[in-house]
Each structure stands twice: as C-alpha cells, then as structure tokens.
C-alpha cells in the first residue's frame, strides 16, 4: 500500500448553462486538467439549483455526439432521455445513465415531466468517457443503471458507503459495461471515516469533492466543490472525513491515442471530425423526433 499524492486541487474552470435545464460548473477540461485525467474528457456538475414549477420541461434539445460515452448521475431531480437510436429512459436520484454515442446519436436531455411540473432541487453530474479508436464507431448503446442495481459497499461501522457504478471495490462490481477499464464510485462518508481506495497502478484518478470536509494527502478540502487530481504514482487514496461528505471517485486506464475534438464529437483525427460534422448535417445520425 502506497498512498497517492495530490497532483492538483482545481476549482471549476467555467460556469454556464447547458440548454435551459443544466446550470453547470465545468471541472475539466476548462480547469486546465486535461491529459492527466485521460480517459475522461469532460465533467460538468449541474446544480445544486432550485427550479420553479414549469409547464414546459427545461433541458437541452436535439444535439449529436460521436466517438465517446456520456455518463449522467442523478443526485436530485429527474432527467428524461430520448435518442435517435430509439432509446429512451428516465433517471431519478441515485440512478445513472451510461450512453455510448459510438458512431453517432442525436439525443435530447430534458427535466422529467413530473419534476418540471412540481419544480424542486436539481443536482446531476455528466462525465464524458473516451472510446479507443477501435470502438469509436461502435453501435450506439444505452444503459440505465438503476439505484437498486448499483452495488453498495459498507466502508466502516459508522455508516460510510460506496456505490460502485463501474469497476470493482472489495467484492462488489458495478453494473456498467465499459469498453476500457474504468472505475466510477460514489462516496458518502460520515463525519469520522478513514477510507482507503485502491487504484490500479498507472491509471489516472481523481475525486470530485462535492460537499463536507475531508483530508487527502495532508490537504484539507471543505465546503466548495473541487476536483482533486491524484498523481499516477502509488496505488491507494486515503480519505479522512471530519464532516458528512460526498465525493465521486473516478479512475481509468489512459487511452494513449491522439484526440481530435470539436464540440460534441471526439475522434482521433481532424478528418474524422469533418466526417462527423458532415454525417450529422446530412442526417446520417438520425433525429429524435421525425420532422
Ligand atoms: Mn448530450
């Protein structure tokens, strides 16, 4: 066991609205964290924000993706997804949607109807996971990972828990099917925990600190959300909490291939980006609603 050092503690690099439904803070790449978090491409933290009741669901209308996966974790509020591959689903607090854009989907991401009507507190994370070249043009896939199917690990006697969405922790394995080795684990710590997370040697790893107060590698992180990027050396992360805290742990095997990205498309070369734009514009990625 060799505890990792912190490489950097990062605040959000930008804040903006995605459509009219997602007031997000972007923790990478706008923070400057980029290659060191490979195979992850982007992390938006939406809310926590209060939404007033609305007759028309807010959100983000039809837009394309190609070449990677979008992972949406619902903490508060509910989101409805529809895409051009014919997939559709609703995720409620605790649920996760793992969408493989692959060769291309057009989708919309809206607040769920009931949530829109009643309004309320809204909090989500969207994480983009890259695909290796060999799988970039795979058929689109959609996995709804319901809260009850997400493995829950008791971390101590005080009530700290880990929800394993992808990868393994102790004897629990997350329900997500991934193309490359990825761990995604939601942590809820009590005010007095000491947790040790194993990380495969050579993998990138980071924690999104959302709430509470923790100590990692001698640094105190409290109150405000931060992305804590860990060094590659070492094979464990030790987290001590002094208040009830919430964090999202991510780790993955770097995909050592060129990255060419343009908005919603992430490929290996510029030519593939031009092809993606052309395929979207000519309707090859389909539509959510038939005009
Ligand atoms: Mn999208």
């Amino acid at each position: 066991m060799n505890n990792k050092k912190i490489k950097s503690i990062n605040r959000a690099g930008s804040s903006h609205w995605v459509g009219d439904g997602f007031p997000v803070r972007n923790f990478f790449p706008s923070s400057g964290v980029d290659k060191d978090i490979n195979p992850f491409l982007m992390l938006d933290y939406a809310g926590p924000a209060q939404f007033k009741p609305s007759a028309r669901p807010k959100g983000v209308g039809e837009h394309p993706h190609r070449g990677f996966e979008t992972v949406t974790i619902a903490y508060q509020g509910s989101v409805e997804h529809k895409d051009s591959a014919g997939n559709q689903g609703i995720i409620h607090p605790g649920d996760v949607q793992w969408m493989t854009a692959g060769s291309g989907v057009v989708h919309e991401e809206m607040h769920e109807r009931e949530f829109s009507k009643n309004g309320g507190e809204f909090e989500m994370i969207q994480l983009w996971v890259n695909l290796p070249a060999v799988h970039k043009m795979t058929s689109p896939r959609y996995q709804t990972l319901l809260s009850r199917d997400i493995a829950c690990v008791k971390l101590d006697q005080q009530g700290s828990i880990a929800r394993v969405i992808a990868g393994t922790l102790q004897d629990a394995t997350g329900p997500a099917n991934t193309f490359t080795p990825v761990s995604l684990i939601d942590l809820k710590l009590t005010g007095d925990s000491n947790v040790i997370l194993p990380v495969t040697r050579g993998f990138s790893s980071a924690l999104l600190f959302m709430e509470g107060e923790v100590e990692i590698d001698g640094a105190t992180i409290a109150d405000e959300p931060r992305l804590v990027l860990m060094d590659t050396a070492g094979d464990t992360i030790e987290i001590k909490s002094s208040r009830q805290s919430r964090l999202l742990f991510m780790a993955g095997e770097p995909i050592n291939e060129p990255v060419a990205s343009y908005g919603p498309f992430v490929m290996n070369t510029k030519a593939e980006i031009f092809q993606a734009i052309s395929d979207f514009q000519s309707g090859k990625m389909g539509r959510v609603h038939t005009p």
Side-chain angles (χ1 to χ4, degrees):
M1 200 179 89
N2 179 3
N3 278 344
K4 283 180 174 291
K5 301 242 170 273
I6 290 177
K7 184 148 192 166
S8 58
I9 299 175
N10 306 272
R11 54 186 72 222
S14 75
S15 297
H16 58 271
W17 281 81
V18 177
D20 63 359
F22 304 89
V24 306
R25 282 174 280 186
N26 178 269
F27 280 87
F28 61 85
S30 67
S31 58
V33 173
D34 180 356
K35 290 182 175 62
D36 293 326
I37 195 70
N38 180 354
F40 305 105
L41 298 163
M42 193 224 58
L43 189 150
D44 271 346
Y45 182 20
Q50 182 72 31
F51 278 87
K52 292 198 175 78
S54 162
R56 185 191 59 82
K58 295 176 191 291
V60 53
E62 281 191 279
H63 61 278
H65 293 290
R66 172 180 279 182
F68 62 100
E69 303 185 287
T70 68
V71 180
T72 310
I73 307 171
Y75 292 102
Q76 300 185 75
S78 304
V79 164
E80 185 166 356
H81 161 102
K82 267 195 197 115
D83 71 37
S84 53
N87 293 309
Q88 128 168 40
I90 295 171
I91 53 167
H92 297 294
D95 300 339
V96 176
Q97 178 212 94
W98 199 294
M99 187 192 79
T100 308
S103 60
V105 294
V106 175
H107 74 162
E108 61 177 27
E109 299 162 274
M110 309 299 290
H111 292 186
E112 180 262 344
R113 212 160 287 275
E114 271 312 287
F115 174 81
S116 297
K117 220 163 65 183
N118 299 322
E121 198 69 9
F122 189 85
E123 185 183 13
M124 306 259 156
I125 280 178
Q126 188 165 93
L127 176 68
W128 290 8
V129 184
N130 204 2
L131 287 170
V134 65
H135 294 304
K136 280 195 179 288
M137 295 299 279
T138 191
S139 300
R141 180 171 79 178
Y142 179 85
Q143 303 172 66
T144 299
L145 312 173
L146 296 176
S147 183
R148 63 166 180 267
D149 298 322
I150 294 173
C152 202
V153 176
K154 281 194 183 128
L155 296 169
D156 56 29
Q157 296 306 314
Q158 292 92 302
S160 294
I161 57 156
R163 297 192 325 128
V164 185
I165 299 162
T168 61
L169 181 66
Q170 297 173 20
D171 50 7
T173 299
N177 283 311
T178 66
F179 286 83
T180 58
V182 168
S183 280
L184 191 61
I185 300 176
D186 225 359
L187 300 166
K188 280 186 204 163
L189 309 182
T190 58
D192 181 26
S193 329
N194 191 344
V195 171
I196 292 174
L197 295 173
V199 183
T200 306
R201 268 182 197 279
F203 280 25
S204 308
S205 61
L207 292 146
L208 183 75
F209 168 84
M210 288 179 269
E211 188 183 2
E213 179 170 343
V214 296
E215 190 192 309
I216 302 169
D217 181 30
T220 300
I221 301 142
D223 303 317
E224 288 299 311
R226 291 286 184 268
L227 180 85
V228 184
L229 178 69
M230 305 306 296
D231 201 84
T232 23
D235 55 11
T236 46
I237 301 175
E238 185 171 7
I239 309 167
K240 292 175 198 160
S241 60
S242 49
R243 269 190 264 153
Q244 280 206 12
S245 300
R246 292 192 299 134
L247 304 101
L248 178 69
F249 164 72
M250 67 208 84
E253 182 176 48
I255 299 170
N256 294 315
E257 295 173 348
V259 173
S261 72
Y262 178 78
F265 308 124
V266 182
M267 303 301 290
N268 300 109
T269 66
K270 262 191 183 164
E272 289 166 348
I273 291 292
F274 291 132
Q275 188 63 51
I277 295 167
S278 149
D279 287 351
F280 168 59
Q281 286 174 348
S282 65
K284 282 191 186 146
M285 293 183 193
R287 296 289 302 266
V288 180
H289 303 282
T290 337

